[in-house]
Amino acid sequence: MSVANILLGLLFILTAAIPVVLLKPAWGNRDALPIAEWLHRAATILAGILLLILTYYFIVHAYQFVYVYENSSNDLPLLYRISAVWAGKEGSFLLWLFFLYCCGTIAGLRGDDDMRRLVLPAVAFIEVFIVAILLKESPFAYIWDKFPGEIQPGQVPTDGAGLNTLLIDPWMIVHPPVLFLGYASATIPFAYAAAALVRREFRSWAVSAYPWVVFSMASLGLGIFLGGYWAYAVLGWGGYWGWDPVENSSLIPWLVSIALMHALLLQKKAGMLHRTSLALALSYLVLVIYSAFLTRSGVLSNFSVHSFGESRITWYLLVFLLTVLTGSVFLFFSRMKQIPHYGAGERGLDWRSMIIAGVIGLVLMAAFILGGTSMPIVSGLIGKPTAVTTKYYVIIAVIIGVPSIIIMIAAMTFMVPRQTLKKLLPVALVVGGLGTVAMNLGHSSDPAPWIFMGLAIAGLILIMRDLWAMKTAAVLPGRVTHLGICFMVLGIMTSTYHSPVFHGTLEKEKEATVGPVTLSFKGLTGTSRGALEFDLVDGAARKRIAMAYFIEPKMNSLYREPRILTGIMGDTYIAPEEYRNGLDSISIVMLKKGEEKKLGDITVRFEQFATQHMTSGTPTILAELTIQGQRLKPGLTFADGHRHAIPAIIPGTDRAVSLMQINADDHSVLLRISPGKNVMTPPDTVAITVSYKRLIILVWAGTIMVTVGTYLAMRSRWNGKRA
Amino acid sequence: MKRIHIIAGIIVIVGAIVAVLSVSDDLFSPYVSFADAQKSGAYVQIIGRIDQSIAPKTDDGVLVFSIRDERNDRLVVQHKGPKPVNFEHAEQAVILGKYDQTSKTFIAEKVLVKCPSKYQKKG
């Protein structure tokens, strides 16, 4: 039982005490609040200490802890040893938890006593669940507890298993923390909404919750964008969004947070949508917990590349989810009649109805994505597990997206003076129409980009006019964000619909054209970390480019990186698929025990292993082979810290067979058989995929604008008063 | 905006989605056996062990490999798309696509590989 685990237990006790302290005595007891607040502050500090302890263990290579062992190694640079803290399940939960404590403590600095007396236990309630999960799957578990029998208690491995190379990347340093900041801060509006429902006071919660909603929405959005950048730059399939269940599980709450923000806006400005805001605030956190459930419980491990895999905490997460869900549903519906609700009004179309329509659009989108993402689970419960395809998501994105963009643009027109609008609107529509023709002609005949880009360009015009003509700082965040959305729409359309993909196989030293590029493959270079080198040919000029391509020893798997040639008009995306060494293809073979293969004109069978001098002298492992009917035993000796290969000559030839690698786990050997004289060595080849991503820079520009705009919105005041 | 407008709007949108979805195919990918996949030719999801002893090859950007199910039946898969990372060392693969009767191969749209547990004893 490590010290840190004891501290975790203490954290649980401290946090669980908060609701008990506050809720047990009668409502009138005012002395309980300061105690509860100090408990929470102490818990926050304790959580911070635990996070620092885990970071320390990573820095000093404390491999007795299985989490450190599984996510780092001796050669991992310091920066990535620190970021490895949140590379896996347990550590990332701890980070989320720490952020949650911080949010709770900061939220506790404001507001009246009555409010804080309810908000604090609500936050603590959520915190307690996460601490319980951490107690079950602790980042401080010892390695001998996880692999009993293989590792003795007290035996510390000398090196770690290594961090997955895909995670050794700057984007993966920032993506999880920002995402967890979004998730953690989603708890605060929930707590305020729950407090409001309990107190039956439905106005002040919105004032306090609004800045948290904006912050959470901005952070979750940025976290999602960072994930997209990383996928594009590192993963090699040339995309930034795959409609993967784990990706969707963060998109769903984000859409709801945007709807919540707009609903609160309407509540602030027009006293409407009280019930909607409360329902959305509760749903936001429920969906965040659902996202954690989908990602971490392993239920979707057969349907997603991201999910962490099988898990012991599946039931904990399910109980967590169901408790918060039923609690919220009960609380909302038992108070619903008392929540002030105004008829949607008799007025016709105005900016208010546009916002309502927008909220509905966002909620519908979230609901359909939720349905599609949950389909494997639901269908698995009633019959054959079935997933939905990308086509499903594209269909709903188009059908809901088009009206949503129209609504977004229409909402802005209500702030334009009538006279100006009479001239401006036709101009915007015409430019939009001409613009979409100019952009799409010759590139795509699919109706989706035509419609979306026309709308986005019209929207751009209207927003630019607003930014030019309107002097109020209040509209700036909204306009900048919506401008970003228009740019994103344009960029997503061009990089999806105007972007062809080409395949090619290149022979070494032979120039070939694959799609938009002409390359000459120069070969695989480097010793421990190999790279594929190419000459990029541009007329007479040649530029040398290299892409990482090597077998990573820790994971024993192939690691490769794409090469992106960025440009204003588009990115050229070069992804290596497979490298074949000409000589290897005729001289290297892998065999499992009892397996026989043909290598050129020679037949080889691997019979079994044999050992010599294992306890004294120089240990030697031999592989007994049958080649052309003859028994041969190439071997490997281990002397003075190195391996030496002992080749065996194939009788009657000038060829030798040597043992390159052995694998005792699956009883396989890797052999090299020299090819012999007068044999033509085939050339080295590499298969690549080249895709052109037209105007993808618009996507990045749009995401930056959305991030800037949403964080800017935090400066907004609620009717002139600081929340 | 009257309440009736809101409800009508929702019905229109949801109705449009349901309408388009019902006339589209390739929307769902149920998890089926090899035999079912071969019989129906519909868009399905299959899982199998990659048979690394039959060397996977890449011809013209199309990856061709073989998978086997629990009964050791073999299915040849064609995948026109990027080779998944760690394909060479993957044990199992989840594949989405359709079985093509003429070429007697499974045309894969998406291939998800599952890697062996990395916590192997240092040998």
Side-chain angles (χ1 to χ4, degrees):
Chain A
M1 177 67 95
S2 58
V3 170
N5 270 337
I6 297 174
L7 290 178
L8 258 180
L10 180 59
L11 189 63
F12 183 85
I13 295 170
L14 278 178
T15 315
I18 294 173
V20 174
V21 159
L22 279 172
L23 299 179
K24 219 164 166 286
W27 290 117
N29 185 347
R30 296 192 184 277
D31 289 328
L33 186 59
I35 300 173
E37 288 187 321
W38 278 110
L39 278 173
H40 195 269
R41 281 177 202 148
T44 306
I45 295 174
L46 188 53
I49 292 175
L50 281 165
L51 195 59
L52 284 171
I53 291 177
L54 185 60
T55 312
Y56 171 73
Y57 285 148
F58 266 97
I59 295 177
V60 300
H61 304 293
Y63 298 128
Q64 67 267 33
F65 297 102
V66 67
Y67 186 71
V68 179
Y69 171 79
E70 288 175 356
N71 289 298
S72 66
S73 55
N74 292 339
D75 58 359
L76 192 63
L78 179 64
L79 181 62
Y80 289 108
R81 289 214 296 279
I82 296 174
S83 73
V85 167
W86 49 83
K89 249 192 307 196
E90 298 88 336
S92 61
F93 251 142
L94 183 58
L95 183 67
W96 177 339
L97 185 67
F98 174 63
F99 283 156
L100 183 50
Y101 277 112
C102 292
C103 289
T105 302
I106 295 173
L109 295 172
R110 291 220 159 92
D112 59 78
D113 280 6
D114 284 331
M115 183 72 105
R116 286 182 3 247
R117 204 170 284 121
L118 290 166
V119 168
L120 206 47
V123 178
F125 183 68
I126 305 293
E127 288 162 349
V128 148
F129 265 108
I130 301 184
V131 179
I133 291 171
L134 278 175
L135 282 172
K136 175 76 178 167
E137 264 193 356
S138 170
F140 304 107
Y142 285 120
I143 191 168
W144 41 85
D145 289 329
K146 185 153 180 187
F147 302 114
E150 285 182 38
I151 301 185
Q152 305 310 314
Q155 181 187 359
V156 180
T158 47
D159 198 357
L163 182 61
N164 190 332
T165 316
L166 290 172
L167 302 181
I168 305 181
D169 182 88
W171 292 121
M172 278 309 284
I173 297 180
V174 285
H175 164 61
V178 175
L179 208 59
F180 294 133
L181 205 49
Y183 285 168
S185 50
T187 314
I188 310 298
F190 171 86
Y192 279 119
L197 285 165
V198 170
R199 283 172 71 188
R200 297 181 169 90
E201 197 278 302
F202 305 105
R203 261 167 254 264
S204 52
W205 83 273
V207 179
S208 309
Y210 186 70
W212 285 101
V213 171
V214 176
F215 175 72
S216 190
M217 174 188 79
S219 306
L220 189 50
L222 178 59
I224 292 173
F225 297 152
L226 290 170
Y229 302 151
W230 171 74
Y232 181 73
V234 175
L235 285 188
W237 54 276
Y240 40 81
W241 187 260
W243 294 110
D244 180 270
V246 166
E247 292 172 336
N248 293 346
S249 71
S250 60
L251 180 62
I252 298 164
W254 188 53
L255 292 173
V256 168
S257 73
I258 301 174
L260 173 58
M261 187 219 97
H262 286 88
L264 282 175
L265 204 63
L266 207 54
Q267 185 169 340
K268 156 165 94 161
K269 290 220 153 53
M272 299 170 77
L273 294 189
H274 286 78
R275 281 186 301 195
T276 311
S277 311
L278 282 163
L280 287 174
L282 294 171
S283 309
Y284 183 31
L285 181 65
V286 169
L287 289 167
V288 165
I289 300 173
Y290 186 55
S291 160
F293 171 71
L294 284 181
T295 323
R296 294 157 187 276
S297 64
V299 279
L300 290 178
S301 57
N302 275 344
F303 296 89
S304 166
V305 283
H306 291 84
S307 60
F308 286 104
E310 283 312 306
S311 158
R312 296 173 291 168
I313 58 170
T314 306
W315 282 111
Y316 280 68
L317 284 164
L318 199 54
V319 167
F320 185 19
L321 177 65
L322 291 173
T323 310
V324 178
L325 178 60
T326 41
S328 307
V329 167
F330 172 74
L331 201 53
F332 182 77
F333 283 104
S334 65
R335 307 288 202 259
M336 195 165 91
K337 294 249 164 32
Q338 288 144 40
I339 307 173
H341 60 280
Y342 304 99
E346 294 305 310
R347 41 181 135 243
L349 280 166
D350 65 352
W351 64 272
R352 272 166 279 243
S353 37
M354 290 295 102
I355 295 196
I356 294 175
V359 167
I360 293 173
L362 287 161
V363 170
L364 277 177
M365 185 75 178
F368 274 100
I369 298 178
L370 178 64
T373 310
S374 311
M375 174 70 84
I377 303 173
V378 172
S379 60
L381 289 172
I382 55 181
K384 234 176 354 195
T386 302
V388 292
T389 58
T390 312
K391 198 165 172 189
Y392 167 87
Y393 293 112
V394 171
I395 289 176
I396 56 173
V398 170
I399 295 183
I400 302 182
V402 170
S404 298
I405 307 256
I406 295 176
I407 291 167
M408 187 182 90
I409 297 173
M412 284 184 286
T413 61
F414 289 104
M415 296 202 73
V416 180
R418 287 266 90 129
Q419 284 303 100
T420 320
L421 190 61
K422 274 212 182 84
K423 284 176 270 177
L424 185 62
L425 197 54
V427 169
L429 291 171
V430 167
V431 174
L434 291 174
T436 193
V437 172
M439 300 282 308
N440 279 298
L441 208 54
H443 288 279
S444 172
S445 55
D446 194 305
W450 286 80
I451 301 174
F452 273 114
M453 288 178 75
L455 289 171
I457 295 173
L460 263 171
I461 309 252
L462 289 166
I463 299 176
M464 300 293 245
R465 184 229 78 103
D466 275 1
L467 287 172
W468 180 261
M470 296 178 76
K471 301 298 177 204
T472 9
V475 291
L476 191 64
R479 294 299 182 268
V480 171
T481 310
H482 290 170
L483 187 64
I485 301 278
C486 290
F487 271 92
M488 280 181 71
V489 168
L490 288 172
I492 292 172
M493 290 297 119
T494 55
S495 61
T496 308
Y497 291 94
H498 300 174
S499 299
V501 179
F502 307 91
H503 302 280
T505 304
L506 298 163
E507 271 181 23
K508 192 165 168 184
E509 298 298 343
K510 269 215 204 128
E511 219 173 85
T513 303
V514 183
V517 293
T518 304
L519 301 162
S520 172
F521 176 44
K522 288 298 179 191
L524 181 69
T525 58
T527 39
S528 57
R529 303 235 137 170
L532 295 165
E533 288 198 2
F534 298 81
D535 268 348
L536 198 57
V537 182
D538 183 14
R542 301 173 90 80
K543 181 176 161 195
R544 181 60 59 99
I545 59 173
M547 292 170 238
Y549 190 96
F550 54 85
I551 301 287
E552 200 200 20
K554 293 268 154 60
M555 309 278 167
N556 203 32
S557 61
L558 179 64
Y559 177 77
R560 48 194 163 156
E561 268 175 13
R563 177 69 182 215
I564 306 174
L565 306 168
T566 49
I568 302 270
M569 291 307 291
D571 281 357
T572 306
Y573 197 96
I574 305 173
E577 300 292 333
E578 193 186 359
Y579 165 76
R580 285 221 195 104
N581 181 295
L583 186 60
D584 282 356
S585 64
I586 55 167
S587 55
I588 294 197
V589 65
M590 183 175 96
L591 292 167
K592 288 216 162 91
K593 185 170 166 184
E595 212 182 345
E596 183 177 273
K597 277 187 189 164
K598 212 166 181 328
L599 190 67
D601 55 343
I602 285 198
T603 315
V604 194
R605 181 162 72 233
F606 171 42
E607 306 291 351
Q608 60 189 353
F609 284 120
T611 60
Q612 283 177 354
H613 315 303
M614 291 311 272
T615 45
S616 60
T618 42
T620 306
I621 294 187
L622 305 166
E624 294 191 11
L625 311 168
T626 307
I627 298 183
Q628 311 290 72
Q630 318 212 34
R631 264 305 158 102
L632 291 160
K633 294 191 214 182
L636 283 171
T637 62
F638 300 86
D640 37 88
H642 293 292
R643 283 191 332 188
H644 301 275
I646 310 169
I649 310 283
I650 302 176
T653 71
D654 57 349
R655 304 169 70 168
V657 55
S658 41
L659 195 51
M660 289 183 71
Q661 261 180 49
I662 52 170
N663 190 326
D665 290 326
D666 64 0
H667 304 285
S668 65
V669 287
L670 195 65
L671 305 167
R672 167 183 275 278
I673 303 179
S674 54
K677 289 200 280 271
N678 304 328
V679 168
M680 266 277 288
T681 310
D684 298 344
T685 59
V686 66
I688 61 171
T689 302
V690 179
S691 38
Y692 184 68
K693 307 280 174 201
R694 188 173 182 231
L695 289 170
I696 197 170
I697 199 169
L698 293 177
V699 178
W700 315 140
T703 54
I704 294 173
M705 277 184 241
V706 169
T707 306
V708 167
T710 45
Y711 277 112
L712 265 180
M714 285 193 65
R715 288 166 55 222
S716 298
R717 300 284 185 261
W718 183 285
N719 288 337
K721 285 187 291 216
R722 195 73 216 258
Chain B
M1 207 158 105
K2 292 199 181 42
R3 174 152 298 182
I4 187 75
H5 293 150
I6 297 178
I7 297 183
I10 297 180
I11 291 180
V12 166
I13 300 273
V14 174
I17 291 179
V18 169
V20 176
L21 289 180
S22 53
V23 298
S24 311
D25 46 53
D26 293 358
L27 286 177
F28 300 103
S29 53
Y31 235 139
V32 296
S33 63
F34 284 16
D36 283 339
Q38 286 166 305
K39 228 184 329 173
S40 71
Y43 193 91
V44 291
Q45 191 162 337
I46 52 176
I47 187 167
R49 185 179 33 99
I50 299 178
D51 193 343
Q52 303 278 8
S53 67
I54 305 171
K57 23 184 196 118
T58 307
D59 292 319
D60 232 351
V62 180
L63 174 68
V64 182
F65 60 98
S66 299
I67 55 169
R68 292 191 186 271
D69 61 6
E70 324 83 55
R71 292 172 17 178
N72 223 25
D73 291 336
R74 179 177 154 212
L75 196 58
V76 179
V77 180
Q78 277 189 43
H79 176 57
K80 191 175 193 169
K83 195 180 193 184
V85 188
N86 293 345
F87 181 81
E88 298 76 9
H89 298 264
E91 279 181 349
Q92 292 212 309
V94 172
I95 302 167
L96 290 93
K98 286 185 189 175
Y99 184 73
D100 177 39
Q101 303 286 355
T102 29
S103 66
K104 296 255 184 281
T105 59
F106 191 86
I107 313 290
E109 203 180 82
K110 218 177 189 183
V111 175
L112 292 165
V113 296
K114 287 156 148 300
C115 288
S117 165
K118 54 182 172 144
Y119 315 129
Q120 281 169 357
K121 199 172 60 147
K122 294 288 185 78

